[in-house]
């Protein structure tokens, strides 16, 4: 089975793990330089967690908090292929943390059924690339259930979490960022965090939301991104972005693993005297349009960058809204720095919107 | 079966049919006023056809031209629920025009298999609303097959045709315009004509394309839109838009059944001295970016209007590109006039981007 081979490949070899740890330390240092303190990261009892541990902590708290909460998906019982569900089956029992058959449309349909009966299913789709078999269940069923029943039924308790985005060698089917497809669908919420503490707070918020939510986890951050995380229960509201560093000359809007790339580019630009304001959207649907608008009215320039392909990606919606909201403030055409409009190749070095591509965009737009 | 009831409802009552014929006459007269003659409409042997007859003619010619061409889908053998495949099974035999089981993912997967073996399958998905079960087959398989095999295999002969868009009373699942979902996927082409003669030429081009194509047919035009159509074989290249009327003050970009709405709005605006340039994209992926850019550089203002919901619809991609290409020419923020960001309601009078909404946008943008 191709997917199993891909799975094995993703979590090894160790050499890439070690190099990603080194990268994580560097990334963490740059994160600390942000002028705005991260929510909950300064809690007195903060514990060092990587991304997957933060997810595990969120699931643990969700399960302990409400007995109607269940976690299921392919291979989640033993701890999941990325270890996000480690020990949960032992702790809460096999009736609350269990494996599903290998069928994404069945998995999501099953979750919709549970949610409509009042449960809070947290369904895992093993890779975002494999969420498409469930596309009909999500778009035609989950998203429209409350609307079409006039409020008589709903599946608001549903959360679908899924590893997403590039990982270095995932090829076509273990690297996709698919949030752009779902953004055109009314009735669902979409979240993609970029740090462990945001991941935990946002996931717990999704569990509490009264609308079906899709929670994407940038998988290359699972082990590489480490930071202090509040071990207790907390939520972060959806629809609120975060300003990671303030700037005067250009606004960069991004989310997910691309936040780290944009931050490096912003630092490089700072060395040349360009002041970048960096916004992590975190929540993509609904998104923080007000924060972005205020920022762009101040800076007059904007670059939207994401790992998904450019055409009809979330960036196109953001740019269209910015042009409408900030027409009189824009000093240069809004730019999009995204993956190319092709499938995700095996060799992704020139495909991803890397630090240099973002830097080049910063130079171009400030020199317009 | 809910779908059958919906089907029956769509093709009746006769009173709505008669009123739509009257509407078609009016629409046809306005179409004739276009300054640019329609391709092939003035051919010496032109025959009056409505939209469904033009599709039928195209399928007939495709089947006669190449014995590797087959037509299949749910209920196509008896002539199809919209009569697009009428008489084809009798004429070409049940091995070339046949029914499929009621499974969209099976239907499209089957078509991919045939296309990869050198056939030219024209698969029908009965309503665009039911293409989502096949989303994985289209996005992860059809679109990526040539790319991921390094050109060793492809399914370029594949055409998926599907009725699309609102029809007056289709509710949530017989009214959707889903092209915006597919626009984010590299490797497929997307077409949505607005007239019988364009429908025929574009469909025949899709059959000849060496890439998988999705061909959407605005179903309320099936019987209501009548015009002279060349009964012989002809194609219209993909990626080329059409200027329906030239103007100086504002450009309207649209496609599908919305073309008729925009044309009425343009006429109303003309009575107040506003000169509208109306572009029918026809081909959405690839789209005629050059034509739109040239037009907007001339007029300085643009309204993109489509029946699909606004957020992340095709309009957002078009507006983002226009802002990038025409930043120095724009006199007002590009506007989008689309369906609201909700599922398609049963009562769609206030939901659709009707003539008055488009007209209001014209007034706003020219008065900016």
């Amino acid at each position: 089975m191709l997917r199993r081979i891909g799975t094995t490949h993703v979590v090894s070899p160790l050499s890439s793990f070690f190099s990603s740890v080194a990268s994580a330390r560097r990334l963490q240092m740059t994160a600390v330089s942000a002028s705005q303190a991260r929510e909950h990261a300064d809690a007195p009892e903060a514990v060092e967690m990587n991304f997957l541990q933060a997810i595990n902590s969120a699931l643990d708290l969700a399960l302990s908090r409400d007995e109607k909460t269940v976690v299921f998906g392919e291979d989640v019982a033993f701890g999941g292929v990325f270890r996000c569900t480690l020990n949960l089956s032992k702790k809460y029992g096999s009736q609350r943390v269990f494996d599903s058959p290998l069928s994404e449309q069945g998995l999501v349909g099953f979750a919709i059924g549970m949610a409509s009966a009042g449960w809070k299913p947290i369904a895992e789709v093993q890779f975002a690339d494999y969420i498409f078999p469930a596309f009909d269940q999500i778009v035609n069923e989950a998203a429209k259930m409350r609307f079409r029943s006039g409020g008589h039924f709903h599946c608001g308790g549903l959360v679908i979490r899924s590893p997403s985005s590039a990982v270095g060698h995932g090829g076509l089917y273990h690297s996709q960022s698919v949030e752009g497809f779902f953004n055109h669908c009314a009735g669902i919420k979409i979240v993609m965090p970029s740090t462990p503490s945001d991941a935990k707070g946002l996931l717990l918020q999704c569990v509490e939301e009264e609308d079906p939510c899709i929670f994407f986890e940038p998988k290359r951050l699972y082990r590489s991104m480490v930071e202090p995380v509040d071990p207790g229960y907390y939520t972060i509201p959806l629809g609120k972005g975060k300003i990671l560093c303030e700037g005067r000359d250009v606004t960069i809007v991004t989310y997910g693993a691309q936040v780290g790339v944009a931050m490096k580019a912003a630092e490089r630009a700072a060395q040349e005297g360009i002041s970048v304001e960096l916004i992590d959207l975190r929540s993509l649907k609904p998104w923080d349009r007000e924060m972005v608008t205020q920022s762009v009215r101040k800076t007059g320039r904007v670059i939207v960058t994401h790992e998904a392909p450019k055409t009809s990606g979330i960036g196109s919606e953001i740019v269209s809204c910015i042009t409408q909201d900030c027409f009189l403030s824009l000093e240069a055409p809004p730019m999009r720095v995204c993956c190319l409009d092709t499938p995700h190749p095996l060799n992704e070095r020139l495909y991803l919107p890397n630090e240099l591509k973002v830097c080049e965009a910063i130079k171009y737009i400030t020199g317009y």
Side-chain angles (χ1 to χ4, degrees), chain A residues 16-307:
Chain A
S16 74
F17 170 77
F18 289 135
S19 68
S20 65
V21 170
S23 170
R25 295 300 174 190
R26 195 177 313 119
L27 183 61
Q28 189 183 356
M29 282 196 295
T30 63
V32 171
S33 72
S35 59
Q36 177 182 325
R38 266 171 276 112
E39 298 113 317
H40 301 277
D42 299 326
E45 298 160 6
V47 172
E48 288 268 310
M49 290 189 200
N50 63 24
F51 204 101
L52 77 88
Q53 289 165 330
I55 296 292
N56 185 265
S57 176
L59 295 174
D60 193 344
L61 288 163
L63 286 159
S64 69
R65 189 176 153 82
D66 186 337
E67 64 183 15
K68 288 281 201 173
T69 305
V70 297
V71 172
F72 57 88
E74 298 159 9
D75 298 326
V76 301
F78 86 109
V81 298
F82 291 106
R83 322 308 284 147
C84 293
T85 51
L86 194 61
N87 290 330
L88 298 181
S89 178
K90 273 182 247 174
K91 185 169 178 180
Y92 295 98
S94 59
Q95 291 195 10
R96 296 186 66 199
V97 181
F98 51 90
D99 288 342
S100 70
L102 301 182
S103 167
E104 283 79 21
Q105 71 203 54
L107 192 157
V108 172
F110 183 87
I112 292 170
M114 287 198 88
S116 66
W119 291 70
K120 290 182 174 177
I122 303 175
E124 180 184 294
V125 170
Q126 202 168 91
F127 292 90
D129 318 55
Y130 297 96
I131 204 168
F132 297 136
F135 200 80
D136 185 61
Q137 287 297 311
I138 296 170
V139 171
N140 266 345
E141 303 298 341
K144 297 173 165 57
M145 187 172 282
R146 181 184 278 111
F147 180 94
R148 72 170 170 157
S149 68
H152 288 295
F153 311 104
H154 71 87
C155 55
L158 168 66
V159 177
I160 299 167
R161 33 174 299 273
S162 188
S164 170
S165 308
V167 72
H169 42 247
L172 290 84
Y173 300 120
H174 296 81
S175 308
Q176 293 185 46
S177 295
V178 305
E179 65 281 358
F181 290 105
F182 293 100
N183 203 47
H184 189 42
C185 172
I188 53 178
K189 293 180 174 172
I190 308 171
V191 180
M192 192 190 286
S194 67
T195 66
S197 49
D198 278 2
K200 179 173 171 176
L202 289 164
L203 180 52
L204 286 169
Q205 176 64 37
C206 286
V207 175
E208 297 303 326
E209 284 285 317
E210 291 182 6
D211 293 304
C213 299
I214 309 181
F215 186 88
F216 290 113
E217 299 160 10
K219 64 175 96 69
R220 73 168 178 272
L221 305 183
Y222 272 140
R223 296 169 185 263
S224 63
M225 171 65 112
V226 182
E227 69 172 357
V229 176
D230 180 351
Y233 180 90
Y234 65 92
T235 57
I236 296 174
L238 301 192
K240 294 294 181 210
K242 179 199 271 185
I243 297 180
L244 297 181
C245 56
E246 291 190 9
R248 301 176 312 271
D249 301 321
V250 57
T251 299
I252 296 185
V253 180
T254 186
Y255 57 87
Q258 192 65 7
V259 169
V261 174
M263 193 166 279
K264 287 179 190 169
E267 287 172 1
R268 187 185 279 253
Q271 292 167 24
E272 300 186 19
I274 301 171
S275 171
V276 174
E277 178 140 311
L278 180 53
I279 293 179
D280 175 2
L281 286 178
R282 303 190 294 186
S283 170
L284 307 180
K285 191 181 178 69
W287 61 291
D288 201 338
R289 186 166 173 170
E290 186 180 352
M291 173 182 279
V292 172
T293 296
Q294 283 176 6
S295 175
V296 175
R297 283 179 180 164
K298 175 177 71 167
T299 64
R301 300 175 191 86
V302 62
I303 296 167
V304 181
T305 180
H306 56 61
E307 243 186 60

